Amino acid sequence: MTDVPAHVHEFDWPDRVVIGTVGRPGARTFYLQARTGAQIVSIALEKEQSALLAQKIDEILDRLREVEDNRWSVPTSTPVELVDNDPLEPVQEQFRAGTIGIGWDPTTAQVIIEAHPLPADDELDEGFAEDSSAEDSFAEDSEMLRVKMPVGTARAFTQRTREVVDAGRPLCTLCGYPIDPDGHTCIIPES
């Protein structure tokens, strides 16, 4: 079985890379969107994936700042010129993210995000079949998104992502569950 996806959406120095949402709080869909020139790719992901992605990228950047003789000039906060509060560009979902990996390329001083799609239910069934040709066809048909962003852009990405994640429904002060715009039935835990 081959490990290389059939189609890689590659953004080495993107003009823009952001997390944004479509829909109202409580029914939002989260997207990771990357753009270079006219090439735009949007992949859907879960709110939790978005939050964890921002957290882990910040951890990488913070660890890099602690490296003795740090040569990468990692900013402690988002450079003002890189703040991006604009809405998503028109979204055409490429795939829904299943596995997301992050890394660091010291040769270019870039954070790397790689996202692979969730397999379809029928592909999961085929992938567990004893016939190796089914596994080979699954690997050949897969795709992935790879985004490489410099450290300043990565800080801006994490700041925006945290703000987008936190902009959801307010939490009930009594039960701690989100309050829906259509109403809220408070579920107070029993002691």
Side-chain angles (χ1 to χ4, degrees):
M1 178 164 70
T2 179
D3 293 326
V4 178
H7 187 75
V8 178
H9 306 280
E10 184 111 27
F11 294 86
D12 283 336
W13 293 91
D15 298 332
R16 184 176 197 222
V17 56
V18 295
I19 296 276
T21 61
V22 173
R24 64 186 188 123
R28 298 184 296 171
T29 301
F30 284 73
Y31 290 96
L32 167 58
Q33 189 173 76
R35 176 178 53 82
T36 298
Q39 178 191 11
I40 300 173
V41 172
S42 303
I43 63 166
L45 57 159
E46 298 296 324
K47 177 180 181 178
E48 293 78 16
Q49 287 174 305
S50 303
L52 191 57
L53 185 59
Q55 175 190 336
K56 294 300 180 185
I57 289 173
D58 266 341
E59 286 175 11
I60 287 173
L61 295 173
D62 291 344
R63 276 189 263 147
L64 288 169
R65 286 191 53 76
E66 296 169 4
V67 170
E68 193 171 317
D69 299 325
N70 175 2
R71 64 176 205 254
W72 299 294
S73 300
V74 178
T76 55
S77 61
T78 301
V80 175
E81 66 275 10
L82 296 178
V83 172
D84 183 346
N85 292 321
D86 292 337
L88 291 175
E89 298 187 34
V91 172
Q92 184 173 8
E93 183 178 315
Q94 192 67 40
F95 61 83
R96 178 165 288 282
T99 304
I100 300 174
I102 57 174
W104 169 250
D105 183 348
T107 61
T108 61
Q110 290 178 302
V111 173
I112 303 166
I113 300 172
E114 289 186 352
H116 298 266
L118 277 173
D121 289 339
D122 59 331
E123 289 173 333
L124 277 174
D125 294 339
E126 289 176 11
F128 291 111
E130 291 184 27
D131 178 5
S132 64
S133 64
E135 292 177 3
D136 291 342
S137 72
F138 169 68
E140 290 170 8
D141 292 339
S142 66
E143 62 184 317
M144 72 177 260
L145 170 67
R146 180 182 297 130
V147 178
K148 297 179 179 180
M149 58 183 145
V151 292
T153 302
R155 280 289 191 207
F157 176 86
T158 62
Q159 175 184 323
R160 176 188 167 116
T161 301
R162 284 191 310 275
E163 290 170 359
V164 167
V165 167
D166 292 344
R169 297 172 289 172
L171 298 179
C172 175
T173 57
L174 296 175
C175 69
Y177 288 99
I179 300 172
D180 291 322
D182 301 334
H184 175 71
T185 303
C186 195
I187 304 169
I188 300 175
E190 294 181 28
S191 303

